[in-house]
Amino acid sequence: LLTGNSLLGSDVSELIRQTSLLDNPIESTVIDWTTAFPCMDTGGFDVVVGNPPYDVLEKERGSPRSPHSLASVYLRSHPDYEAARGGKLNLFRCFMIRGLSLTRNGGAFSMIVPMAIMGDGSCTQTRTCVFSQLDDSIADCFPNKDRVNERVFVDAKLSTAIISGTKTEAQPEAAPIQIRVYGGCKAEDPIMSNVVRLADAQLVSPK
């Protein structure tokens, strides 16, 4: 079992030296993926699954007094997270980008995230990055948030989606995405299903 900050890299030390965030304890919890996991030398993990935090790093949460201050500066400036940006920075998008980068080609990737990933304008870059690198991709969508007993997470009034697929080299925008919309929160609930392509989605949200 390894516990640590999975978003920040070892290069965060330089950022700490360049800023006033000198006493931030987060540096000691950074995971050096290459050192900790030899599989990174051969392309990454066979399987990456996750339920990342859905946390918006708003301006006040990135202030020097905030525990998120170092992460906020790092994630907004590091080139690895360019595809996670757009609107207010949300950690779930950063985790999707990080998780996909840790998955080997041919490996399985799956995360449950806010359903905003499917259509929100702030998620355009993340959506394009994720679906262009997944083959046989499926989006299992659970839009119900108003009926408490049928929410995926009872205490969270939030629509969610499980994004799954096989990591591959960058796909053309014609790669199909199977979308399954559930009436409730269970896999056996009735569904509506269709197939779209990334290029179709970009006609609706081109930027």
Side-chain angles (χ1 to χ4, degrees), residues 45-162:
F45 294 105
D46 292 332
V47 178
V48 172
V49 297
N51 173 19
Y54 314 155
D55 201 355
V56 176
L57 294 183
E58 298 177 9
K59 184 176 180 181
E60 59 270 19
R61 301 197 72 174
S63 69
R65 294 187 300 275
S66 168
H68 297 280
S69 57
L70 182 60
S72 180
V73 174
Y74 186 89
L75 297 174
R76 293 178 194 279
S77 60
H78 201 284
D80 285 356
Y81 293 104
E82 182 176 356
R85 296 175 200 139
K88 292 181 179 180
L89 185 63
N90 195 307
L91 286 177
F92 87 82
R93 301 201 307 256
C94 298
F95 274 95
M96 292 188 83
I97 298 303
R98 172 63 102 182
L100 197 59
S101 73
L102 297 174
T103 309
R104 67 168 180 82
N105 287 335
F109 171 88
S110 184
M111 286 196 178
I112 182 168
V113 295
M115 208 169 74
I117 188 63
M118 298 304 298
D120 195 278
S122 66
C123 297
T124 299
Q125 292 191 111
T126 308
R127 183 166 55 247
T128 300
C129 178
V130 170
F131 283 113
S132 67
Q133 295 183 65
L134 290 180
D135 197 12
D136 301 321
S137 55
I138 299 173
D140 286 309
C141 301
F142 300 87
N144 181 44
K145 60 181 180 180
D146 295 322
R147 295 191 296 273
V148 174
N149 293 331
E150 294 186 11
R151 295 175 187 164
V152 172
F153 301 113
V154 174
D155 295 329
K157 189 175 181 180
L158 183 73
S159 300
T160 55
I162 302 172

